[in-house]
Amino acid sequence: TKGADVPEEQKAGWTSFIKSLAKMTGDLSSMTAPPFILSPVSLTEFPAYWCEHPQVFAQISEGKNEFERTELVLKWFICTLKGQYTTRNEKMGSEKKPLNPVLGELFYGVWPDVNGRGETRLIVEQVSHHPPITAYYIENKKAGVKLQGHSGQKTAFTGTAINVKQSGHAVLTVTPKNGGPEEKYLITLPKLRIEGIIWGSPYIELTDSNAIQSSTGYTAQIDYKGKGYFTGKPHSYKASISKGSKTQQSYEGQWTGVSYIGGSKGPVFFDAHLPKEEVSVKPIEEQGEWESRRLWDKVAKGIKGGNYDLAGVEKSRIENDQRQRRKDEAAASSNWQHAHFTYVDSDPEYQSLAALLHDKLTPAHEDGYIFKGNI
Ligand code: CLR
């Protein structure tokens, strides 16, 4: 029955939350949701999902030719999906509403060098509050692999599910180990549907398609289907790598499980059961005041400990401080300065790679946040 997974005392709150979804105007951040659905983690932490398999990331530059490297980029992309879209269900029992980052919020992390694969560093900054936009930069210098991107969301309620269109894109830069020229890969982002809202146990299903466009001319397209389409299994995908009009290789399976090269009887392409490595972050006492876990520490403690009054008071304190800062800036006719990224209204890397994407999966221009290089 409806709301079956909602704690008894929060059922009324859940019903009014669902009603409020109908009036939502594309931005879920402003929504007041009942406590059981709140996560103590800020959206600035999410870019870490791109690198929870640091060795798969590092190995991209070891591909022997352009096709092999495109296939390694596709494999790395697929390997991030389980973390990106199912972690909250696994850790907290359902999808949750993350903390809405403040402008200038930072998140720094590292995956240490293991077996000589090189250290991977992560830098995240909240570059916009309205609408919320998160910019990130991930680099493994030794491997010659780096990722720059930004991400935002537009949401719409269908009556039973929330459709989320991701805005933004990422560009992966690879310096091949065999001495070839630097390659760029434009990564567009999939759409998602949040299902299970009515029952009070939200989870994500990916829908439609996204693409990886290489500067070498290779394109990977990934098509997503839920239960019942390709295999009758949830979280399914089919992908293909092509050059020009010629398909070079296809892949299919589950992004949460095993996927295969060619058909479902082909050799294993990727097995999502590979253990992940969570990002390492400095202890809160050593963090700066804009760093996410320190900034939200008291709110997070309130949510985790079931002390929602404390969480609410602390959240209001942070939000009031933000409002005051914006007022002061307006009065001084100054703007908040990004620490690590420079805004461009048309990202040149995006523009040249999107032009190679023949099937109009993405618009010709998009804005971008370019990492300043102060790693
Ligand atoms: C952020 C960018 C990451 C991938 C990702 C995963 C989960 C998404 C999140 C993004 C954006 C915010 C999101 C979340 C799932 C739920 C949450 C859409 C795209 C919304 C704001 C909360 C909805 C509240 C329900 C749980 C009721 O790379």
Side-chain angles (χ1 to χ4, degrees):
T1 56
K2 284 188 184 179
D5 297 326
V6 179
E8 203 52 51
E9 72 285 1
Q10 294 182 39
K11 282 207 160 110
W14 189 243
T15 308
S16 61
F17 174 67
I18 294 178
K19 281 190 187 137
S20 69
L21 288 175
K23 295 183 209 114
M24 181 175 66
T25 54
D27 183 356
L28 258 172
S29 55
S30 53
M31 208 103 276
T32 328
F36 85 95
I37 209 74
L38 301 179
S39 151
V41 179
S42 159
L43 266 184
T44 55
E45 295 208 19
F46 283 43
Y49 291 131
W50 288 113
C51 213
E52 290 187 325
H53 296 296
Q55 76 290 5
V56 182
F57 187 71
Q59 275 162 7
I60 295 171
S61 57
E62 286 168 27
K64 301 216 166 27
N65 53 49
E66 295 174 352
F67 170 78
E68 250 186 64
R69 287 187 293 271
T70 307
E71 191 179 53
L72 288 169
V73 175
L74 174 65
K75 182 183 281 186
W76 158 75
F77 176 81
I78 298 294
C79 94
T80 71
L81 297 178
K82 184 169 183 260
Q84 304 252 25
Y85 301 111
T86 72
T87 301
R88 281 78 52 200
N89 292 72
E90 276 166 19
K91 280 194 173 173
M92 306 187 266
S94 84
E95 189 54 75
K96 301 266 171 170
K97 187 172 186 286
L99 296 170
N100 185 29
V102 304
L103 182 61
E105 186 174 324
L106 302 167
F107 184 68
Y108 301 129
V110 65
W111 291 268
D113 185 355
V114 174
N115 301 326
R117 73 179 178 205
E119 179 189 75
T120 314
R121 297 183 65 184
L122 166 71
I123 290 173
V124 184
E125 180 172 358
Q126 189 69 13
V127 289
S128 170
H129 182 68
H130 274 304
I133 301 174
T134 310
Y136 52 90
Y137 183 80
I138 301 173
E139 180 168 24
N140 181 332
K141 278 212 167 82
K142 188 177 181 197
V145 185
K146 57 187 181 187
L147 180 76
Q148 173 178 277
H150 70 277
S151 131
Q153 301 85 38
K154 286 202 179 64
T155 51
F157 188 53
T158 66
T160 53
I162 302 174
N163 284 340
V164 182
K165 190 177 178 300
Q166 297 199 65
S167 59
H169 59 268
V171 175
L172 183 83
T173 305
V174 179
T175 307
K177 284 287 170 220
N178 66 9
E182 189 177 87
E183 294 167 357
K184 303 268 178 190
Y185 296 84
L186 170 66
I187 296 154
T188 68
L189 304 165
K191 293 197 176 97
L192 37 127
R193 274 173 76 84
I194 306 176
E195 315 249 21
I197 302 275
I198 303 296
W199 325 115
S201 46
Y203 67 93
I204 290 174
E205 189 56 276
L206 294 177
T207 68
D208 297 321
S209 311
N210 76 301
I212 299 170
Q213 177 61 52
S214 168
S215 55
T216 63
Y218 282 97
T219 310
Q221 181 171 324
I222 306 108
D223 300 315
Y224 303 93
K225 286 291 181 310
K227 200 168 156 53
Y229 281 81
F230 293 147
T231 60
K233 289 181 183 164
H235 309 319
S236 295
Y237 80 95
K238 279 187 180 178
S240 62
I241 295 178
S242 56
K243 192 165 187 181
S245 56
K246 201 169 164 276
T247 300
Q248 313 271 330
Q249 189 59 259
S250 63
Y251 310 82
E252 67 175 81
Q254 281 178 294
W255 48 265
T256 45
V258 187
S259 50
Y260 304 89
I261 302 178
S264 58
K265 292 193 175 68
V268 171
F269 177 50
F270 180 70
D271 185 343
H273 301 103
L274 182 70
K276 65 177 178 182
E277 292 176 45
E278 280 186 20
V279 67
S280 304
V281 180
K282 269 191 198 164
I284 286 176
E285 315 79 68
E286 290 169 31
Q287 290 184 11
E289 55 178 337
W290 288 97
E291 285 186 66
S292 186
R293 290 188 189 174
R294 171 147 169 217
L295 183 85
W296 292 106
D297 187 36
K298 290 183 177 143
V299 177
K301 282 192 179 124
I303 293 174
K304 285 185 204 156
N307 188 345
Y308 302 118
D309 291 340
L310 171 72
V313 168
E314 289 299 327
K315 188 167 167 283
S316 301
R317 196 182 50 74
I318 292 173
E319 285 164 355
N320 291 337
D321 173 69
Q322 285 292 308
R323 272 190 282 275
Q324 191 56 47
R325 281 172 191 278
R326 299 293 89 80
K327 271 190 204 156
D328 295 348
E329 284 162 9
S333 323
S334 65
N335 273 322
W336 177 263
Q337 300 296 311
H338 303 321
H340 297 291
F341 296 87
T342 307
Y343 177 77
V344 289
D345 56 16
S346 179
D347 177 346
E349 287 182 343
Y350 174 91
Q351 199 183 322
S352 60
L353 292 163
L356 301 174
L357 253 180
H358 36 275
D359 44 4
K360 306 265 182 299
L361 275 168
T362 195
H365 294 268
E366 254 190 27
D367 57 4
Y369 292 87
I370 314 297
F371 183 58
K372 287 181 186 168
N374 46 350
I375 195 157

